[in-house]
């Protein structure tokens, strides 16, 4: 008998609001905000009404570019309730990446905050859309982004051409409960509800279309592996825009009526403070997040005695760090998961019943209702245990496809429904998987997926650059770093910092190359193909880099 749920994201929230109305749904320690499931559901209904009033209909794309603020959650569930598609935007994006995403996704509305760290989102949006300041709110007309009509900013400040979040919510005051109900009745669990941009094996980032059925059930199975209940409280410092935050955290909590304790953006003290204040029983994070807490000078001042579980994923997990987290943070039931955005995302996971050795040396076994196997990447034939090959997965979790990219979709989902991950691994006789490498050129830096082609395309626009190749360099702290090999044009000179600054001005900070190498030529094979693995070897040797004792996770 299948354990899968045929219910929408909005329907799931409403069910929990009925079953656990007074249970804390969302608690922001640093904001002093606490909402029960009943209160949270009502707030999301109000957001759904405001979306309707703004002209958002079923199937429309709504982008959100913000940290883990409460408005992010309201818009997530508000769009889900009326059948719109939430397009998530990486908080580190700059103008080059934002313009591509808004254009490729056909987003009609953009929700945002005004700034994050060293980036002024307002300046970026005004640079991208010069007409914005002179446009009436809700009636944007920009030829470069023909679909985009509305921009809403969650901020204490007001900006020309942009709704404040309070103004946006006021729009829904005249929308009746009956009208909202009509919208809800037309939403199907198999409709696309979320679109996340991920770097593939070729070209620019692709919009991965995920359905209610995809993410609700993946979240449910993840929560089951963690043994979550309505009595648990999960601290969420991982970004909502990533599957780690959206599915492994929000959806796992939603399906188990677990309390969400988000942190706006990661800082060791904010996470430790939230865990202690709310007596959290779980916390998620990439290895770097745990390392920064363990090494923080005030670590011993915080109480971690209520913790028991959580997920460490997103990049290679050092075994030594895993053991420290289990011992010093009391997370005896911490789990490891593996997958990718295209698979909603988790396809394998460890459980608290697994031996400690299996929880630090493997990525677990296949999740319920999902098939995972190892195949020969050349022939597609199944491989026996303990043989390296490509990891492929099939089941409810496989994405609907890449938005407006049919050929790219066919390249990763075969005629039998198997999703080809591009990751190399092996499975032992007991069904435990290990990740050993990647077919893809993807760089994974501190949990962030970076596609080299994006950085290469940008650097090609630098007037001093003749040719460029970007590869991954090993990093003990972040798993991998970006390394750029550059052939300069004749009779010109450039510095490493000059190249870094060029990328920094145009792309997210995590894509800025840590290592820049000026070369006269690239190593090639007899057929003229550039050997990127040779470039990686050069980086390791030149900068004396050593890879860490680690296992790979998604």
């Amino acid at each position: 008998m299948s354990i899968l749920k045929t219910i929408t994201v909005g329907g799931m929230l409403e069910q929990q609001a009925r079953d656990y109305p007074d249970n804390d749904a969302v608690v922001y320690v640093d904001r002093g905000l606490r909402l029960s499931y009943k209160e949270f559901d009502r707030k999301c209904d109000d957001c759904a009404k405001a979306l309707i009033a703004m002209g958002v209909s079923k199937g429309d794309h709504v982008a959100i570019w913000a940290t883990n603020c409460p408005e992010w959650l309201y818009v997530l569930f508000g769009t889900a309730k009326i059948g719109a598609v939430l397009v998530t935007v990486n908080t580190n994006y700059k103008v080059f990446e934002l313009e591509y995403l808004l254009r490729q996704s056909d987003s009609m509305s953009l929700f945002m905050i005004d700034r994050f760290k060293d980036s002024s989102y307002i300046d970026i949006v005004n640079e991208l859309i010069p007409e914005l300041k002179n446009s009436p709110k809700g009636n944007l007309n920009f030829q470069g982004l023909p679909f985009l009509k509305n921009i809403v900013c969650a901020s204490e400040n007001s900006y020309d051409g942009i709704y404040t979040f309070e103004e946006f919510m006021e729009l829904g005051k005249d929308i009746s409960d009956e009208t909202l109900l009509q919208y809800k009745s037309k939403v199907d669990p198999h409709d696309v509800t979320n679109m996340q941009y991920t770097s593939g094996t070729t070209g620019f980032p692709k919009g991965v279309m995920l359905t209610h059925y995809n993410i609700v059930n993946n979240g449910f199975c993840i929560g089951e592996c963690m043994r979550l209940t309505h009595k648990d409280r999960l601290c969420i410092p991982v970004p909502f825009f990533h599957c780690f935050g959206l599915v492994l955290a929000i959806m796992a909590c939603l399906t188990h009526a677990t309390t969400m304790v988000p942190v706006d953006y990661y800082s060791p003290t904010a996470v430790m403070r939230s865990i202690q204040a709310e007596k959290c029983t779980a916390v998620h994070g990439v290895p770097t997040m745990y390392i920064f807490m363990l090494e923080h000078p005030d670590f011993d001042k915080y109480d971690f005695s209520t913790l028991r579980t959580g997920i460490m994923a997103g990049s290679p997990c050092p075994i030594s760090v895993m053991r420290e987290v289990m011992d010093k943070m009391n997370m005896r039931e911490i789990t490891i998961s593996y997958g990718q955005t295209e698979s909603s995302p988790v396809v394998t996971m460890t459980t608290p019943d697994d031996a400690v050795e299996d929880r630090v040396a493997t990525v677990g076994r296949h999740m319920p209702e999902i098939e995972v196997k190892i195949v020969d990447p050349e022939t597609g034939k199944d491989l026996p245990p303990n043989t390296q090959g490509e990891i492929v997965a099939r089941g409810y979790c496989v994405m609907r496809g890449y938005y407006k990219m049919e050929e790219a979709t066919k390249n990763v989902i075969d005629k039998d429904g198997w999703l080809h991950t591009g990751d190399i691994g092996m499975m032992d006789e007991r069904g435990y998987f290990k990740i050993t490498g990647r077919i893809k050129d993807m760089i994974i830096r501190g949990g962030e997926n970076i596609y080299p082609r994006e950085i290469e395309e940008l650097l090609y626009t630098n007037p001093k650059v003749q040719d460029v190749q970007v590869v991954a360099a090993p990093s003990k702290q972040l798993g991998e770093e970006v390394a750029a090999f550059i052939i300069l044009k004749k009779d010109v000179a450039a510095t490493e910092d000059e190249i870094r600054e060029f990328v920094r001005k145009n792309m997210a900070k995590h894509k800025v190359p840590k290592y820049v190498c000026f070369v006269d030529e690239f190593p090639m094979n007899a057929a003229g193909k550039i050997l990127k693995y040779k470039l990686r070897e050069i980086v390791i040797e030149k900068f004396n880099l050593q890879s860490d004792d680690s296992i790979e996770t998604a």
Side-chain angles (χ1 to χ4, degrees):
M1 181 178 174
S2 175
I3 63 170
L4 300 181
K5 299 174 179 294
T6 306
I7 190 171
T8 65
V9 169
M12 192 76 240
L13 175 58
E14 287 156 14
Q15 178 179 305
Q16 303 297 32
R18 290 191 298 270
D19 294 346
Y20 302 95
D22 300 322
N23 205 52
D24 285 340
V26 182
V27 179
Y28 280 85
V29 171
D30 289 345
R31 289 173 176 263
L33 176 67
R34 186 180 302 272
L35 295 172
S36 68
Y37 265 95
K38 182 179 180 181
E39 292 167 334
F40 180 58
D41 183 49
R42 188 181 300 125
K43 188 81 173 181
C44 295
D45 271 350
D46 291 342
C47 183
K49 289 179 178 180
L51 287 163
I52 293 170
M54 200 167 67
V56 179
S57 301
K58 181 180 179 181
D60 285 341
H61 291 182
V62 175
I64 186 158
W65 189 28
T67 53
N68 293 3
C69 57
E71 291 84 358
W72 210 107
L73 292 170
Y74 306 150
V75 176
L76 164 65
F77 288 99
T79 51
K81 281 171 178 279
I82 66 171
V85 178
L86 186 71
V87 181
T88 62
V89 186
N90 190 315
T91 52
N92 293 311
Y93 272 11
K94 298 287 179 69
V95 64
F96 182 81
E97 300 142 312
L98 180 67
E99 188 274 338
Y100 169 80
L101 182 144
L102 292 175
R103 179 168 43 79
Q104 204 281 332
S105 68
D106 300 327
S107 290
M108 69 165 293
S109 300
L110 171 64
F111 285 79
M112 58 185 283
I113 53 178
D114 52 8
R115 66 179 307 104
F116 176 53
K117 293 185 177 178
D118 62 346
S119 291
S120 169
Y121 289 1
I122 291 295
D123 289 347
I124 289 172
V125 166
N126 278 297
E127 178 185 345
L128 178 59
I129 311 169
E131 298 92 332
L132 180 59
K133 289 182 178 179
N134 299 316
S135 297
K137 296 176 182 179
N139 194 25
L140 181 61
N141 187 16
F142 175 52
Q143 192 173 356
L145 297 169
F147 284 84
L148 190 63
K149 299 301 175 189
N150 314 287
I151 300 181
V152 180
C153 185
S155 168
E156 295 177 354
N157 305 312
S158 60
Y159 302 96
D160 292 337
I162 300 175
Y163 288 114
T164 65
F165 199 81
E166 289 70 25
E167 288 172 335
F168 159 71
M169 291 293 278
E170 280 293 320
L171 296 175
K173 295 295 185 182
D174 295 329
I175 302 296
S176 67
D177 291 342
E178 291 73 20
T179 298
L180 177 57
L181 199 58
Q182 288 174 3
Y183 274 77
K184 289 180 179 179
S185 67
K186 296 175 183 176
V187 185
D188 186 274
H190 295 286
D191 290 337
V192 173
T193 188
N194 177 237
M195 212 154 83
Q196 299 189 32
Y197 275 76
T198 185
S199 300
T201 54
T202 59
F204 283 90
K206 302 171 180 65
V208 176
M209 296 184 288
L210 300 176
T211 66
H212 297 260
Y213 195 69
N214 286 149
I215 64 175
V216 166
N217 283 299
N218 206 243
F220 173 71
C221 291
I222 290 163
E224 290 293 283
C225 278
M226 295 176 65
R227 296 177 177 167
L228 290 182
T229 73
H230 65 280
K231 296 180 180 179
D232 280 300
R233 307 173 82 78
L234 172 65
C235 182
I236 310 173
V238 291
F240 289 165
F241 70 77
H242 192 283
C243 261
F244 202 166
L246 180 60
V247 183
L248 283 75
I250 297 172
M251 292 298 139
C253 287
L254 173 70
T255 51
H256 292 79
T258 297
T259 301
M260 294 176 266
V261 184
V263 175
D264 273 55
Y265 57 89
Y266 178 78
S267 91
T269 51
V271 177
M272 294 188 291
R273 187 164 56 242
S274 295
I275 290 170
Q276 178 173 281
E278 285 302 307
K279 295 181 169 53
C280 291
T281 57
V283 60
H284 287 351
V286 299
T288 308
M289 292 179 174
Y290 290 104
I291 290 169
F292 284 157
M293 285 190 281
L294 289 164
E295 294 181 351
H296 196 279
D298 293 335
F299 177 82
D300 292 334
K301 296 179 182 178
Y302 290 92
D303 181 9
F304 299 100
S305 63
T306 58
L307 286 176
R308 68 170 182 86
T309 188
I311 297 174
M312 188 186 293
S315 65
C317 294
I319 292 171
S320 58
V321 174
M322 175 69 80
R323 294 191 182 279
E324 274 196 278
V325 168
M326 295 174 77
D327 293 339
K328 295 182 179 179
M329 296 182 70
N330 202 45
M331 297 174 68
R332 301 291 181 183
E333 297 181 17
I334 191 169
T335 61
I336 288 285
S337 65
Y338 161 76
Q340 56 184 198
T341 308
E342 290 89 337
S343 57
S344 302
V346 176
V347 295
T348 73
M349 191 168 176
T350 62
T351 72
D353 292 331
D354 289 324
V356 173
E357 290 72 21
D358 288 325
R359 279 191 277 152
V360 297
T362 80
V363 292
R365 291 175 286 191
H366 72 86
M367 294 284 276
E369 312 278 350
I370 298 176
E371 298 173 85
V372 187
K373 64 180 182 178
I374 306 293
V375 301
D376 186 310
E378 297 295 326
T379 66
K381 291 183 178 179
D382 293 4
L383 292 174
N386 300 308
T387 306
Q388 282 199 132
E390 184 180 15
I391 299 172
V392 297
R394 183 170 67 177
Y396 76 85
C397 64
V398 176
M399 66 172 177
R400 177 67 56 81
Y402 295 122
Y403 184 62
K404 298 193 302 187
M405 293 184 176
E406 290 185 22
E407 196 60 36
T409 301
K410 290 177 183 176
N411 288 338
V412 296
I413 303 174
D414 66 28
K415 59 181 176 58
D416 296 318
W418 289 98
L419 173 69
H420 289 252
T421 67
D423 290 322
I424 296 294
M426 62 175 66
M427 181 184 71
D428 66 19
E429 297 87 350
R430 303 168 303 149
Y432 286 85
F433 286 84
K434 288 185 179 181
I435 314 303
T436 57
R438 286 192 298 279
I439 296 172
K440 303 173 289 187
D441 290 331
M442 186 85 75
I443 299 168
I444 304 181
R445 180 188 182 277
E448 290 280 8
N449 289 353
I450 302 170
Y451 182 59
R453 185 70 179 174
E454 278 188 279
I455 305 170
E456 291 166 357
E457 290 284 354
L458 174 66
L459 285 171
Y460 277 127
T461 68
N462 186 308
K464 292 186 177 182
V465 173
Q466 177 182 312
D467 205 351
V468 57
Q469 291 291 316
V470 172
V471 299
S475 165
K476 285 188 175 183
Q477 188 177 62
L478 295 170
E480 290 176 332
E481 287 278 10
V482 177
F485 283 79
I486 291 172
I487 298 175
L488 294 172
K489 290 181 179 177
K490 192 175 181 180
D491 299 326
V492 299
T495 65
E496 295 176 18
D497 285 342
E498 188 179 341
I499 295 298
R500 292 190 189 99
E501 186 58 27
F502 182 81
V503 177
R504 186 177 290 110
K505 283 182 177 178
N506 292 280
M507 302 190 90
K509 190 175 180 180
H510 65 276
K511 297 177 185 176
V512 176
K514 180 170 183 178
Y515 305 105
V516 178
C517 303
F518 296 106
V519 295
D520 295 325
E521 60 183 6
F522 300 131
M524 297 185 182
N525 65 13
K529 181 180 179 182
I530 295 169
L531 303 175
K532 285 203 169 188
Y533 75 91
K534 286 285 188 184
L535 295 175
R536 183 179 169 92
E537 290 174 1
I538 292 170
V539 174
I540 292 171
E541 184 176 350
K542 181 175 180 178
F543 295 98
N544 196 28
L545 306 177
Q546 300 292 328
S547 59
D548 200 1
D549 175 24
S550 60
I551 56 173
E552 294 255 3
T553 61

